[in-house]
Amino acid sequence: MRVRLLSFLRRPTVLTAGVAMVLRGATLASRFLLSILLARMLSPSDMGEYGLITAMLAFGLFVLGLEFYSYTLRELVPASPAKRVQIIADQIVLASASFAVISIVAVVAALMGLLPKKILFLFLLVLVTENASLEAMRILIITSRVVHAYIAGFLRGGIWVFALGLLMYLEPSTRSLEMVLIWWAGGGLLAVVYSALCLLDLPWRNLRCYRPDLGWIQAGLRTARPFMLTAVSALMLSYIDRFFIDGFVGRHELGIYTFYSTILIGILSLGTSISHQFLPRIISGHAVGADAYRRIVVLFLVSMLIVAGGLVVVAGLTMGPLLRLFGLRDYAEFIGVFYLMLPGLFLRMLADVPSYALYAAHSDKVLLLCNISAAAVTVVSNIVLVPIFGLAGAALSGAFASAILFLSLGVVARDRTRNYSGRPTETAAISNDTHARYN
């Protein structure tokens, strides 16, 4: 029995999954550590400034990437090594043009006082290293270098947090927002260098006389257009409330809200990483037939109810003791806001179920409309509720928007799964093979 167990654990797929899980867990743990670290070392006002910067970075990353990866990843899978370097080169050209535009906008924003001048360079540095490291990770995954991708992810978002925490503990003069951005950019740069070394086996010399394929880039932008709208809607659900809080309530209160929001985004990322495991099975079930499709959707729903419910309960029970443990009295005064944010988190995680079901059924327009509707609810409810109820209004706005997203997706997905009468197709085996190789 012991020999069989050791033999099983030594299989490449098992080792890969184990290493990936450990690295993913360490990266997620670093997000929680960063929230506690900043709350302990910075004032709530500085934490609020950090919240605004991360929100602007999130929207900046969208503009820089333009969801173009949704097109390039599909093109990279069947491409030869020579074609892959051309695809990567074309994506770099597009990102460079986007970065030039963002840089001009950032400079104007700094001159108008919307972005602190003292962090303008660091903001742009973090933006470019975040984008480059994120795209490099995606390329590593799609080229079957999964473990290397998770190592790059740990360099990008994990290891520098632990190092910075130790430095801030030992040297009080390093407890500043600027130092956080410096180390953040350094982590992204490490990930880019590591990813580049992992991709050295590609024929980069072939690019010496290569000219960017502008027609191919334009075709990719047209393909990515609906993904852009969906991505913007998702970003608004997660970050737009920070701007309303800063405008209607104050920077101090925004810092408290950012602390809780950052932790919940980390929990949401954990839930998303779990739900991603079901996507290939849902796609395969849809290809096999109606019964298989319905069974896997029901299993997915039950699983996410357990996962989301468990995470929300654990978060609710542990937050109070953690605040007392780390002496975060300013944040403990607003713990009721955290509890108001939990229903929204629960519904956001559950929304993956109808979302993936509709994705497998190729209901892209429905997905787009539901996400846009939820984003519109977020904006309107924040405008109405934040000036009246403050942080509680922002938390309620998030819950309302998440409810709209889940219910609208759920109603349509329920109708599609009930009425689906598909026949088995040959794509089932293809779906399994593809996700086994790249996930």
Side-chain angles (χ1 to χ4, degrees), residues 80-194:
S80 65
K83 182 61 177 176
R84 284 179 172 178
V85 297
Q86 293 176 5
I87 291 172
I88 296 170
D90 287 338
Q91 188 170 4
I92 292 174
V93 169
L94 176 62
S96 300
S98 299
F99 182 71
V101 174
I102 293 173
S103 298
I104 295 173
V105 173
V107 170
V108 173
L111 293 175
M112 295 175 61
L114 301 176
L115 180 67
K117 294 179 182 179
K118 62 180 181 180
I119 64 165
L120 175 61
F121 173 76
L122 289 175
F123 175 85
L124 293 174
L125 183 61
V126 170
L127 184 65
V128 71
T129 55
E130 271 287 286
N131 175 261
S133 59
L134 181 59
E135 297 299 338
M137 284 175 56
R138 289 167 173 162
I139 293 170
L140 288 173
I141 291 175
I142 211 67
T143 55
S144 303
R145 298 170 170 90
V146 178
V147 173
H148 292 300
Y150 278 103
I151 292 174
F154 183 60
L155 294 173
R156 168 178 169 261
I159 192 170
W160 67 268
V161 175
F162 297 104
L164 178 62
L166 180 61
L167 178 63
M168 284 186 165
Y169 176 77
L170 296 175
E171 183 53 59
S173 63
T174 61
R175 300 170 184 175
S176 66
L177 182 59
E178 290 84 351
M179 187 61 63
V180 174
L181 295 177
I182 290 171
W183 280 78
W184 190 349
L189 184 60
L190 275 178
V192 172
V193 172
Y194 177 80

Side-chain angles (χ1 to χ4, degrees), residues 51-95:
L52 283 180
I53 291 172
T54 53
M56 288 187 285
L57 280 170
F59 286 99
L61 282 171
F62 162 75
V63 176
L64 187 55
L66 294 173
E67 298 301 295
F68 198 70
Y69 75 90
S70 62
Y71 178 69
T72 57
L73 295 188
R74 185 183 62 186
E75 297 290 309
L76 282 168
V77 173
S80 65
K83 182 61 177 176
R84 284 179 172 178
V85 297
Q86 293 176 5
I87 291 172
I88 296 170
D90 287 338
Q91 188 170 4
I92 292 174
V93 169
L94 176 62

Side-chain angles (χ1 to χ4, degrees), residues 68 71 94 213-225:
F68 198 70
Y71 178 69
L94 176 62
D213 189 343
L214 299 182
W216 183 87
I217 294 174
Q218 290 176 354
L221 289 173
R222 286 193 296 270
T223 301
R225 194 179 303 160

